[in-house]
Amino acid sequence: KAGVTQTPRYLIKTRGQQVTLSCSPISGHRSVSWYQQTPGQGLQFLFEYFSETQRNKGNFPGRFSGRQFSNSRSEMNVSTLELGDSALYLCASSLDSGSALETQYFGPGTRLTVL
Amino acid sequence: GQSLEQPSEVTAVEGAIVQINCTYQTSGFYGLSWYQQHDGGAPTFLSYNALDGLEETGRFSSFLSRSDSYGYLLLQELQMKDSASYFCAAILDSNYQLIWGAGTKLIIKP
């Protein structure tokens, strides 16, 4: 079974631009979560999508948005990029069987650099 | 606020045992998960604890004490390939969201 895939793997943008990142979950997985990872900060939760609906949201500004399609693929968008948005953006999928202890499977991430 | 504290870096010797601690402060705590991330790689699931006590999975064990808001990951018979960052993540019982610690970088010396 193929793992979680994210595209692109690397991206360089300038301040003020916008960016769209894509995530394809493991086949059969219905939940997709997005995280921002910066050195020394761990993983910061952005949002989670299930059945094309945003189910949970972290404490990020409205410049960060996302969506999920009927095939569970998800995209996240960051508008008006700032230097501080430079980070590794990770996508994780899970089966969402209703268990609190469900494992999240992570993709390799998209490394975004904002100049 | 909700937070998890873990040491930023731990150093150990190949073949030895190392313990990575994690203390948490969350509302609506359900359980504690541990993930491993190698440099340049994606986090991968190691273990979780929903009940107090020790869970063993091969060379890795994880412990939870709800009364102390504390858990740890124990790695035995350390191998060089265990050099990685280890994250604890608290599972909230309200929405099963994960709140992550900042990670512990494990350095293993021969």
Side-chain angles (χ1 to χ4, degrees):
Chain A
K1 192 182 269 190
V4 178
T5 57
Q6 292 186 245
T7 56
R9 292 293 312 278
Y10 302 91
L11 205 50
I12 299 175
K13 292 284 188 179
T14 56
R15 278 183 301 174
Q17 287 188 307
Q18 73 154 16
V19 66
T20 299
L21 312 181
S22 181
C23 170
S24 292
I26 290 173
S27 178
H29 283 195
R30 301 185 298 170
S31 169
V32 173
S33 298
W34 288 90
Y35 295 89
Q36 181 194 66
Q37 185 176 29
T38 52
Q41 295 296 315
L43 281 74
Q44 305 294 319
F45 174 72
L46 281 155
F47 27 65
E48 183 220 356
Y49 285 87
F50 174 78
S51 290
E52 303 178 62
T53 301
Q54 188 180 87
R55 188 161 64 174
N56 289 307
K57 188 177 189 305
N59 297 321
F60 277 79
R63 300 185 297 108
F64 292 81
S65 64
R67 60 178 175 168
Q68 186 180 34
F69 302 94
S70 58
N71 61 358
S72 293
R73 189 177 71 84
S74 177
E75 289 181 347
M76 67 162 281
N77 183 277
V78 188
S79 62
T80 320
L81 283 166
E82 300 177 358
L83 295 179
D85 296 333
S86 294
L88 180 68
Y89 289 87
L90 291 161
C91 161
S93 76
S94 64
L95 193 59
D96 198 76
S97 61
S99 168
L101 302 177
E102 206 162 86
T103 300
Q104 290 199 333
Y105 296 86
F106 284 83
T110 294
R111 184 161 297 282
L112 172 65
T113 302
V114 182
L115 303 176
Chain B
Q2 318 218 61
S3 64
L4 286 86
E5 297 289 329
Q6 51 182 132
S8 59
E9 189 175 289
V10 170
T11 301
V13 177
E14 190 177 16
I17 299 173
V18 73
Q19 179 174 312
I20 299 174
N21 298 320
C22 174
T23 56
Y24 59 87
Q25 186 172 26
T26 64
S27 55
F29 175 85
Y30 186 96
L32 194 68
S33 289
W34 289 91
Y35 283 75
Q36 177 193 61
Q37 185 179 30
H38 286 98
D39 282 348
T44 56
F45 173 79
L46 288 176
S47 69
Y48 63 67
N49 297 72
L51 303 174
D52 283 2
L54 193 68
E55 291 285 339
E56 298 181 70
T57 310
R59 295 189 296 114
F60 294 2
S61 303
S62 57
F63 172 83
L64 176 66
S65 169
R66 288 173 169 269
S67 59
D68 296 321
S69 297
Y70 164 75
Y72 66 72
L73 180 68
L74 190 73
L75 295 82
Q76 303 182 70
E77 300 172 16
L78 284 172
Q79 302 175 10
M80 297 304 293
K81 67 178 182 179
D82 297 330
S83 295
S85 291
Y86 293 84
F87 294 86
C88 58
I91 307 164
L92 303 183
D93 66 2
S94 56
N95 55 12
Y96 299 164
Q97 182 181 325
L98 291 173
I99 307 296
W100 295 75
T104 298
K105 185 176 178 66
L106 175 61
I107 298 170
I108 300 174
K109 297 185 175 181

